[in-house]
Amino acid sequence: MAAEGNERIVLIAMDGSEYSDYAFEWFWTHFHKDNDRVILLHVPEYHTVVQSPMVMADVTVITEMMQEEERRIKQFLEGLGQKLKDKKVGGKVKSVGGNPGEVICKVANEEGAHLIVTGTRGMGKLRRTFIGSISDYVIHHSHVPVLVCRHKDHHEQQKH
Amino acid sequence: MSDISQIPATKCDTGDTVIVAMDGSEYSDYALQFYYDTVHRPGNNVIIAHASEMKNISFPAIATMTPDSNALVTQELQAEEKRCIELVDKLTQKLNHLKLEGKIERIHGEPGHAVIELANEKHADFIVVGCRGKGSVRRTLTGSVTDYIVHHSHIPVMVARHKDHIKHHHGFHFPNPFHHHKKHDDKTEKSS
């Protein structure tokens, strides 16, 4: 199989954290090739909204929070689309709900991705692990190669 | 190409320095093939890291304190050396076959740790590994060395997985004595 000239379909998991932003930029500098098709995948999680302590209060409050969350997500997805435009690369932005690790693997299969790119940690607060639960899931379950981009900050933290 | 990298320029100033961890297994063969087919950029400086594993030397042989024990240990060490030399030959052939310029470096000690040390020493930009190696227990989804490297590396790691690598696993299963699992063939040609 020839090296150059083949189109690669690359799926980059984006959750809005600095880690996935870093993964995106790193991929661009070190891995990207001219005829890549890049799929930016976002897996919105609504359960964080519903699990807040307000949930007992009022249906209208929950509805408002959901709508606010949807607005935020829409804005985020537009930002992702802009990223692709700025880099002048063919591809698309997808937003699929569900369990993030599973969704990433599933969408990669559906889209025929050749490579999955993830950061090491996402929006979660738990810092005891060096790699987030979702990246960990994808590394163990993906059917295609996975590029795990460690954020340079981790290096500094590990020095202690 | 804009340079966001915070690592100072290496010997090869246009390309990245890449460490490919190889142990002679089909999984690391696939990792190199995938790297070459899909990831490699001209100007990249490729270093293949292979480990000699003294763990392969059986402990009972050393434990026997008969006068022959030295000979036994020496034999085992020599056998391991021979394996390493064969592996280096095989890797050199692979590089020639792919027409890929690269260096082969032997690393010592615990493989995962040694790969990371080498990556630090060479100021590598990223590491390429197979999803498991020769020795890994097949019941795990990912090999222990790959796992170690992913969790401890300071730089990006690409784990070269393939759906065929997963086919023979269903998590835990009780082996059926009437059903034999087919030996996994080399299916590197199947890469899309």
PDB file of all heavy atoms in Angstrom, chain A residues 13 15 41-45 47 96-107 133-135 137-138:
ATOM      1  N   ALA A  13     -11.255  13.301  18.887  1.00  0.00           N
ATOM      2  CA  ALA A  13     -12.285  13.447  19.908  1.00  0.00           C
ATOM      3  C   ALA A  13     -12.113  14.795  20.593  1.00  0.00           C
ATOM      4  O   ALA A  13     -11.036  15.100  21.116  1.00  0.00           O
ATOM      5  CB  ALA A  13     -12.155  12.313  20.928  1.00  0.00           C
ATOM      6  N   ASP A  15     -13.681  17.497  23.414  1.00  0.00           N
ATOM      7  CA  ASP A  15     -14.677  17.704  24.458  1.00  0.00           C
ATOM      8  C   ASP A  15     -14.651  19.132  25.000  1.00  0.00           C
ATOM      9  O   ASP A  15     -15.324  19.438  25.968  1.00  0.00           O
ATOM     10  CB  ASP A  15     -14.456  16.720  25.620  1.00  0.00           C
ATOM     11  CG  ASP A  15     -13.112  16.931  26.278  1.00  0.00           C
ATOM     12  OD1 ASP A  15     -12.310  17.740  25.776  1.00  0.00           O
ATOM     13  OD2 ASP A  15     -12.847  16.278  27.300  1.00  0.00           O
ATOM     14  N   LEU A  41     -15.188  14.911  16.583  1.00  0.00           N
ATOM     15  CA  LEU A  41     -16.330  14.283  17.236  1.00  0.00           C
ATOM     16  C   LEU A  41     -16.506  14.817  18.647  1.00  0.00           C
ATOM     17  O   LEU A  41     -15.583  14.786  19.458  1.00  0.00           O
ATOM     18  CB  LEU A  41     -16.129  12.761  17.293  1.00  0.00           C
ATOM     19  CG  LEU A  41     -17.186  11.984  18.078  1.00  0.00           C
ATOM     20  CD1 LEU A  41     -18.536  12.071  17.400  1.00  0.00           C
ATOM     21  CD2 LEU A  41     -16.781  10.527  18.221  1.00  0.00           C
ATOM     22  N   HIS A  42     -17.704  15.280  18.910  1.00  0.00           N
ATOM     23  CA  HIS A  42     -18.027  15.735  20.256  1.00  0.00           C
ATOM     24  C   HIS A  42     -19.096  14.813  20.822  1.00  0.00           C
ATOM     25  O   HIS A  42     -20.050  14.468  20.111  1.00  0.00           O
ATOM     26  CB  HIS A  42     -18.539  17.168  20.199  1.00  0.00           C
ATOM     27  CG  HIS A  42     -18.928  17.707  21.532  1.00  0.00           C
ATOM     28  ND1 HIS A  42     -18.039  17.780  22.581  1.00  0.00           N
ATOM     29  CD2 HIS A  42     -20.100  18.184  22.001  1.00  0.00           C
ATOM     30  CE1 HIS A  42     -18.657  18.293  23.627  1.00  0.00           C
ATOM     31  NE2 HIS A  42     -19.896  18.546  23.308  1.00  0.00           N
ATOM     32  N   VAL A  43     -18.931  14.413  22.057  1.00  0.00           N
ATOM     33  CA  VAL A  43     -19.953  13.578  22.690  1.00  0.00           C
ATOM     34  C   VAL A  43     -20.546  14.371  23.851  1.00  0.00           C
ATOM     35  O   VAL A  43     -19.983  14.399  24.941  1.00  0.00           O
ATOM     36  CB  VAL A  43     -19.355  12.247  23.198  1.00  0.00           C
ATOM     37  CG1 VAL A  43     -20.450  11.352  23.752  1.00  0.00           C
ATOM     38  CG2 VAL A  43     -18.612  11.547  22.088  1.00  0.00           C
ATOM     39  N   PRO A  44     -21.661  15.031  23.600  1.00  0.00           N
ATOM     40  CA  PRO A  44     -22.212  15.862  24.670  1.00  0.00           C
ATOM     41  C   PRO A  44     -22.793  14.994  25.773  1.00  0.00           C
ATOM     42  O   PRO A  44     -23.359  13.938  25.515  1.00  0.00           O
ATOM     43  CB  PRO A  44     -23.327  16.649  23.967  1.00  0.00           C
ATOM     44  CG  PRO A  44     -23.692  15.844  22.783  1.00  0.00           C
ATOM     45  CD  PRO A  44     -22.497  15.045  22.394  1.00  0.00           C
ATOM     46  N   GLU A  45     -22.576  15.430  26.988  1.00  0.00           N
ATOM     47  CA  GLU A  45     -23.105  14.668  28.102  1.00  0.00           C
ATOM     48  C   GLU A  45     -24.097  15.515  28.860  1.00  0.00           C
ATOM     49  O   GLU A  45     -23.728  16.522  29.460  1.00  0.00           O
ATOM     50  CB  GLU A  45     -21.959  14.234  29.012  1.00  0.00           C
ATOM     51  CG  GLU A  45     -21.075  13.202  28.321  1.00  0.00           C
ATOM     52  CD  GLU A  45     -20.030  12.667  29.277  1.00  0.00           C
ATOM     53  OE1 GLU A  45     -19.004  13.328  29.436  1.00  0.00           O
ATOM     54  OE2 GLU A  45     -20.273  11.602  29.855  1.00  0.00           O
ATOM     55  N   HIS A  47     -26.004  14.335  31.294  1.00  0.00           N
ATOM     56  CA  HIS A  47     -26.287  13.865  32.654  1.00  0.00           C
ATOM     57  C   HIS A  47     -25.701  14.786  33.724  1.00  0.00           C
ATOM     58  O   HIS A  47     -26.199  14.844  34.824  1.00  0.00           O
ATOM     59  CB  HIS A  47     -25.812  12.429  32.860  1.00  0.00           C
ATOM     60  CG  HIS A  47     -24.331  12.276  32.786  1.00  0.00           C
ATOM     61  ND1 HIS A  47     -23.506  12.497  33.854  1.00  0.00           N
ATOM     62  CD2 HIS A  47     -23.516  11.938  31.769  1.00  0.00           C
ATOM     63  CE1 HIS A  47     -22.255  12.285  33.498  1.00  0.00           C
ATOM     64  NE2 HIS A  47     -22.233  11.939  32.244  1.00  0.00           N
ATOM     65  N   VAL A  96     -22.514  13.252  18.784  1.00  0.00           N
ATOM     66  CA  VAL A  96     -23.290  12.026  19.001  1.00  0.00           C
ATOM     67  C   VAL A  96     -23.382  11.781  20.497  1.00  0.00           C
ATOM     68  O   VAL A  96     -22.378  11.780  21.196  1.00  0.00           O
ATOM     69  CB  VAL A  96     -22.594  10.817  18.327  1.00  0.00           C
ATOM     70  CG1 VAL A  96     -23.411   9.549  18.540  1.00  0.00           C
ATOM     71  CG2 VAL A  96     -22.375  11.071  16.859  1.00  0.00           C
ATOM     72  N   GLY A  97     -24.579  11.551  20.986  1.00  0.00           N
ATOM     73  CA  GLY A  97     -24.739  11.344  22.413  1.00  0.00           C
ATOM     74  C   GLY A  97     -24.432   9.916  22.811  1.00  0.00           C
ATOM     75  O   GLY A  97     -24.421   9.011  21.985  1.00  0.00           O
ATOM     76  N   GLY A  98     -24.188   9.735  24.094  1.00  0.00           N
ATOM     77  CA  GLY A  98     -23.971   8.393  24.588  1.00  0.00           C
ATOM     78  C   GLY A  98     -22.738   8.315  25.463  1.00  0.00           C
ATOM     79  O   GLY A  98     -22.199   9.323  25.907  1.00  0.00           O
ATOM     80  N   ASN A  99     -22.301   7.111  25.687  1.00  0.00           N
ATOM     81  CA  ASN A  99     -21.121   6.864  26.496  1.00  0.00           C
ATOM     82  C   ASN A  99     -19.891   7.238  25.657  1.00  0.00           C
ATOM     83  O   ASN A  99     -19.650   6.615  24.634  1.00  0.00           O
ATOM     84  CB  ASN A  99     -21.133   5.371  26.816  1.00  0.00           C
ATOM     85  CG  ASN A  99     -20.159   5.035  27.876  1.00  0.00           C
ATOM     86  OD1 ASN A  99     -18.979   5.348  27.748  1.00  0.00           O
ATOM     87  ND2 ASN A  99     -20.639   4.408  28.927  1.00  0.00           N
ATOM     88  N   PRO A 100     -19.121   8.237  26.076  1.00  0.00           N
ATOM     89  CA  PRO A 100     -18.096   8.783  25.166  1.00  0.00           C
ATOM     90  C   PRO A 100     -17.122   7.764  24.573  1.00  0.00           C
ATOM     91  O   PRO A 100     -16.874   7.782  23.368  1.00  0.00           O
ATOM     92  CB  PRO A 100     -17.342   9.785  26.047  1.00  0.00           C
ATOM     93  CG  PRO A 100     -18.319  10.188  27.074  1.00  0.00           C
ATOM     94  CD  PRO A 100     -19.165   8.981  27.353  1.00  0.00           C
ATOM     95  N   GLY A 101     -16.582   6.883  25.420  1.00  0.00           N
ATOM     96  CA  GLY A 101     -15.625   5.903  24.900  1.00  0.00           C
ATOM     97  C   GLY A 101     -16.256   5.052  23.816  1.00  0.00           C
ATOM     98  O   GLY A 101     -15.693   4.853  22.733  1.00  0.00           O
ATOM     99  N   GLU A 102     -17.438   4.537  24.102  1.00  0.00           N
ATOM    100  CA  GLU A 102     -18.137   3.679  23.142  1.00  0.00           C
ATOM    101  C   GLU A 102     -18.477   4.428  21.870  1.00  0.00           C
ATOM    102  O   GLU A 102     -18.330   3.912  20.764  1.00  0.00           O
ATOM    103  CB  GLU A 102     -19.427   3.129  23.751  1.00  0.00           C
ATOM    104  CG  GLU A 102     -19.176   2.091  24.824  1.00  0.00           C
ATOM    105  CD  GLU A 102     -20.459   1.688  25.554  1.00  0.00           C
ATOM    106  OE1 GLU A 102     -21.558   2.015  25.060  1.00  0.00           O
ATOM    107  OE2 GLU A 102     -20.345   1.068  26.617  1.00  0.00           O
ATOM    108  N   VAL A 103     -18.932   5.676  22.036  1.00  0.00           N
ATOM    109  CA  VAL A 103     -19.330   6.464  20.871  1.00  0.00           C
ATOM    110  C   VAL A 103     -18.121   6.713  19.967  1.00  0.00           C
ATOM    111  O   VAL A 103     -18.221   6.595  18.743  1.00  0.00           O
ATOM    112  CB  VAL A 103     -19.953   7.810  21.306  1.00  0.00           C
ATOM    113  CG1 VAL A 103     -20.117   8.746  20.126  1.00  0.00           C
ATOM    114  CG2 VAL A 103     -21.299   7.565  21.964  1.00  0.00           C
ATOM    115  N   ILE A 104     -16.984   7.049  20.587  1.00  0.00           N
ATOM    116  CA  ILE A 104     -15.789   7.318  19.786  1.00  0.00           C
ATOM    117  C   ILE A 104     -15.433   6.092  18.951  1.00  0.00           C
ATOM    118  O   ILE A 104     -15.176   6.193  17.741  1.00  0.00           O
ATOM    119  CB  ILE A 104     -14.614   7.738  20.700  1.00  0.00           C
ATOM    120  CG1 ILE A 104     -14.893   9.106  21.321  1.00  0.00           C
ATOM    121  CG2 ILE A 104     -13.306   7.769  19.931  1.00  0.00           C
ATOM    122  CD1 ILE A 104     -13.926   9.483  22.428  1.00  0.00           C
ATOM    123  N   CYS A 105     -15.433   4.929  19.586  1.00  0.00           N
ATOM    124  CA  CYS A 105     -15.075   3.702  18.854  1.00  0.00           C
ATOM    125  C   CYS A 105     -16.105   3.392  17.769  1.00  0.00           C
ATOM    126  O   CYS A 105     -15.757   3.007  16.647  1.00  0.00           O
ATOM    127  CB  CYS A 105     -14.953   2.530  19.822  1.00  0.00           C
ATOM    128  SG  CYS A 105     -13.551   2.711  20.938  1.00  0.00           S
ATOM    129  N   LYS A 106     -17.369   3.590  18.105  1.00  0.00           N
ATOM    130  CA  LYS A 106     -18.435   3.270  17.156  1.00  0.00           C
ATOM    131  C   LYS A 106     -18.371   4.184  15.947  1.00  0.00           C
ATOM    132  O   LYS A 106     -18.434   3.729  14.807  1.00  0.00           O
ATOM    133  CB  LYS A 106     -19.792   3.420  17.860  1.00  0.00           C
ATOM    134  CG  LYS A 106     -20.966   2.929  17.015  1.00  0.00           C
ATOM    135  CD  LYS A 106     -22.216   2.698  17.856  1.00  0.00           C
ATOM    136  CE  LYS A 106     -22.986   3.984  18.065  1.00  0.00           C
ATOM    137  NZ  LYS A 106     -23.964   4.267  17.014  1.00  0.00           N
ATOM    138  N   VAL A 107     -18.244   5.489  16.183  1.00  0.00           N
ATOM    139  CA  VAL A 107     -18.214   6.441  15.065  1.00  0.00           C
ATOM    140  C   VAL A 107     -16.972   6.205  14.205  1.00  0.00           C
ATOM    141  O   VAL A 107     -17.024   6.305  12.982  1.00  0.00           O
ATOM    142  CB  VAL A 107     -18.269   7.898  15.575  1.00  0.00           C
ATOM    143  CG1 VAL A 107     -18.075   8.888  14.439  1.00  0.00           C
ATOM    144  CG2 VAL A 107     -19.590   8.158  16.272  1.00  0.00           C
ATOM    145  N   SER A 133     -10.416   8.459  31.822  1.00  0.00           N
ATOM    146  CA  SER A 133     -11.117   7.184  31.659  1.00  0.00           C
ATOM    147  C   SER A 133     -11.529   6.955  30.211  1.00  0.00           C
ATOM    148  O   SER A 133     -11.578   5.817  29.751  1.00  0.00           O
ATOM    149  CB  SER A 133     -12.351   7.153  32.555  1.00  0.00           C
ATOM    150  OG  SER A 133     -13.220   8.209  32.206  1.00  0.00           O
ATOM    151  N   ILE A 134     -11.821   8.035  29.497  1.00  0.00           N
ATOM    152  CA  ILE A 134     -12.290   7.862  28.128  1.00  0.00           C
ATOM    153  C   ILE A 134     -11.137   7.484  27.210  1.00  0.00           C
ATOM    154  O   ILE A 134     -11.247   6.555  26.400  1.00  0.00           O
ATOM    155  CB  ILE A 134     -13.021   9.125  27.646  1.00  0.00           C
ATOM    156  CG1 ILE A 134     -14.298   9.277  28.474  1.00  0.00           C
ATOM    157  CG2 ILE A 134     -13.327   9.050  26.164  1.00  0.00           C
ATOM    158  CD1 ILE A 134     -14.947  10.607  28.364  1.00  0.00           C
ATOM    159  N   SER A 135      -9.999   8.185  27.348  1.00  0.00           N
ATOM    160  CA  SER A 135      -8.834   7.816  26.538  1.00  0.00           C
ATOM    161  C   SER A 135      -8.443   6.384  26.845  1.00  0.00           C
ATOM    162  O   SER A 135      -8.078   5.623  25.955  1.00  0.00           O
ATOM    163  CB  SER A 135      -7.643   8.720  26.847  1.00  0.00           C
ATOM    164  OG  SER A 135      -8.036  10.056  26.808  1.00  0.00           O
ATOM    165  N   TYR A 137     -10.388   3.953  27.823  1.00  0.00           N
ATOM    166  CA  TYR A 137     -11.347   3.062  27.171  1.00  0.00           C
ATOM    167  C   TYR A 137     -10.998   2.907  25.694  1.00  0.00           C
ATOM    168  O   TYR A 137     -10.949   1.792  25.163  1.00  0.00           O
ATOM    169  CB  TYR A 137     -12.768   3.619  27.314  1.00  0.00           C
ATOM    170  CG  TYR A 137     -13.806   2.730  26.674  1.00  0.00           C
ATOM    171  CD1 TYR A 137     -14.508   1.797  27.428  1.00  0.00           C
ATOM    172  CD2 TYR A 137     -14.069   2.782  25.300  1.00  0.00           C
ATOM    173  CE1 TYR A 137     -15.443   0.960  26.840  1.00  0.00           C
ATOM    174  CE2 TYR A 137     -14.991   1.946  24.702  1.00  0.00           C
ATOM    175  CZ  TYR A 137     -15.674   1.042  25.468  1.00  0.00           C
ATOM    176  OH  TYR A 137     -16.589   0.205  24.877  1.00  0.00           O
ATOM    177  N   VAL A 138     -10.746   4.031  25.037  1.00  0.00           N
ATOM    178  CA  VAL A 138     -10.504   3.999  23.584  1.00  0.00           C
ATOM    179  C   VAL A 138      -9.243   3.195  23.265  1.00  0.00           C
ATOM    180  O   VAL A 138      -9.218   2.403  22.325  1.00  0.00           O
ATOM    181  CB  VAL A 138     -10.414   5.428  23.018  1.00  0.00           C
ATOM    182  CG1 VAL A 138     -10.036   5.416  21.545  1.00  0.00           C
ATOM    183  CG2 VAL A 138     -11.745   6.151  23.193  1.00  0.00           C
TER     184      VAL A 138
END
